[in-house]
Amino acid sequence: DTGVSQDPRHKITKRGQNVTFRCDPISEHNRLYWYRQTLGQGPEFLTYFQNEAQLEKSRLLSDRFSAERPKGSFSTLEIQRTEQGDSAMYLCASSLEIRGGETQYFGPGTRLLVL
Amino acid sequence: AQKVTQAQTEISVVEKEDVTLDCVYETRDTTYYLFWYKQPPSGELVFLIRRNSFDEQNEISGRYSWNFQKSTSSFNFTITASQVVDSAVYFCALSESPFGNEKLTFGTGTRLTIIP
């Protein structure tokens, strides 16, 4: 059973550059979530999709951030004009919509460093 | 708004000791889910348990046990006979949805170090 995968695992970029991260959820999971985690903190919710529909976006998701899930399978998170404050671990999770209670399973994360 | 508090920032115990990690939550909803995740040094969050607000039964899984008390809004996690492999950061999380989906609100985590 393949888990959630994320690519790349690490990214170093210069301030002002654009970066894009990819997340592949567990097969058949229809919900996909993005979180951001900074050092010493718990993950903070950014956005989530049910199939290809983006259902909720956090206020943390400024207009420099955009997420897509075009065919309801993998998702991409793009950050435009990166700032040093964007340095963090970006975590993706997926879950299967069921009535008995869902569990989000997380990927290994993409660690972003903005210089 | 929902909130999760893990007041213990760091805990160190000697191997084989028991240790309890505290979690206190705030929510106005009557239906919600609580979770515990483990984050080892590799960084990947590992799911440990999910509990809904209507199920106050304590749960035991091997050396792990969870004590859910609605009256005190707490969902504490105990590791019995701790082992070095238990060293990690542990997060408690809350989902204010009837099915445990939608966003999770995490606490700031407790870093647990087991000393050999």
Side-chain angles (χ1 to χ4, degrees), chain B residues 21 23 34-37 47-51 56-69 74-79 90-92:
Chain B
L21 309 182
C23 172
L34 295 163
F35 300 79
W36 275 94
Y37 285 86
F47 165 73
L48 295 177
I49 190 171
R50 180 186 73 229
R51 172 67 76 230
E56 287 194 70
Q57 274 193 323
N58 291 334
E59 179 153 342
I60 298 174
S61 176
R63 297 184 297 107
Y64 296 170
S65 63
W66 290 269
N67 184 334
F68 176 31
Q69 299 220 343
S74 65
F75 186 43
N76 296 338
F77 172 32
T78 297
I79 301 175
Y90 290 85
F91 290 97
C92 181

Side-chain angles (χ1 to χ4, degrees), chain B residues 14-85:
Chain B
V14 176
E15 194 174 18
K16 296 184 184 176
E17 288 185 351
D18 299 347
V19 58
T20 295
L21 309 182
D22 298 334
C23 172
V24 174
Y25 62 93
E26 294 176 30
T27 178
R28 294 179 182 174
D29 283 9
T30 55
T31 305
Y32 51 89
Y33 277 78
L34 295 163
F35 300 79
W36 275 94
Y37 285 86
K38 173 182 180 180
Q39 190 171 44
S42 61
E44 187 162 345
L45 280 164
V46 178
F47 165 73
L48 295 177
I49 190 171
R50 180 186 73 229
R51 172 67 76 230
N52 75 50
S53 53
F54 295 109
D55 183 1
E56 287 194 70
Q57 274 193 323
N58 291 334
E59 179 153 342
I60 298 174
S61 176
R63 297 184 297 107
Y64 296 170
S65 63
W66 290 269
N67 184 334
F68 176 31
Q69 299 220 343
K70 227 169 168 177
S71 59
T72 56
S73 297
S74 65
F75 186 43
N76 296 338
F77 172 32
T78 297
I79 301 175
T80 303
S82 60
Q83 299 177 1
V84 173
V85 293

Side-chain angles (χ1 to χ4, degrees), chain A residues 31 33 35 45 48 56 95 101-104, chain B residues 1-4 23 25-37 49-54 68 75 92-107:
Chain A
R31 289 181 182 252
Y33 306 78
Y35 292 82
F45 170 78
Y48 90 96
E56 185 176 351
S95 69
E102 294 181 29
T103 297
Q104 293 180 30
Chain B
Q2 66 271 34
K3 184 179 178 183
V4 175
C23 172
Y25 62 93
E26 294 176 30
T27 178
R28 294 179 182 174
D29 283 9
T30 55
T31 305
Y32 51 89
Y33 277 78
L34 295 163
F35 300 79
W36 275 94
Y37 285 86
I49 190 171
R50 180 186 73 229
R51 172 67 76 230
N52 75 50
S53 53
F54 295 109
F68 176 31
F75 186 43
C92 181
L94 165 70
S95 173
E96 285 185 331
S97 75
F99 307 112
N101 53 16
E102 302 180 11
K103 65 182 178 184
L104 293 176
T105 298
F106 284 84

Side-chain angles (χ1 to χ4, degrees), chain A residues 3-24:
Chain A
V4 178
S5 61
Q6 293 186 245
D7 184 69
R9 296 290 307 277
H10 303 272
K11 180 71 177 178
I12 301 174
T13 191
K14 292 183 179 179
R15 191 175 51 189
Q17 298 294 304
N18 298 345
V19 294
T20 300
F21 309 141
R22 176 179 170 128
C23 171
D24 286 88

Side-chain angles (χ1 to χ4, degrees), chain A residues 59-78:
Chain A
R59 286 172 296 176
L60 291 175
L61 214 64
S62 75
D63 55 7
R64 295 184 299 106
F65 287 70
S66 63
E68 293 182 343
R69 194 182 183 198
K71 296 182 180 179
S73 56
F74 72 92
S75 175
T76 57
L77 178 67
E78 181 183 15

Side-chain angles (χ1 to χ4, degrees), chain A residues 30-67:
Chain A
N30 59 341
R31 289 181 182 252
L32 187 147
Y33 306 78
W34 285 99
Y35 292 82
R36 181 173 70 185
Q37 184 179 20
T38 53
L39 207 59
Q41 299 298 313
E44 295 175 295
F45 170 78
L46 294 178
T47 187
Y48 90 96
F49 294 83
Q50 179 168 309
N51 300 312
E52 62 276 6
Q54 189 172 18
L55 295 188
E56 185 176 351
K57 293 197 296 185
S58 161
R59 286 172 296 176
L60 291 175
L61 214 64
S62 75
D63 55 7
R64 295 184 299 106
F65 287 70
S66 63

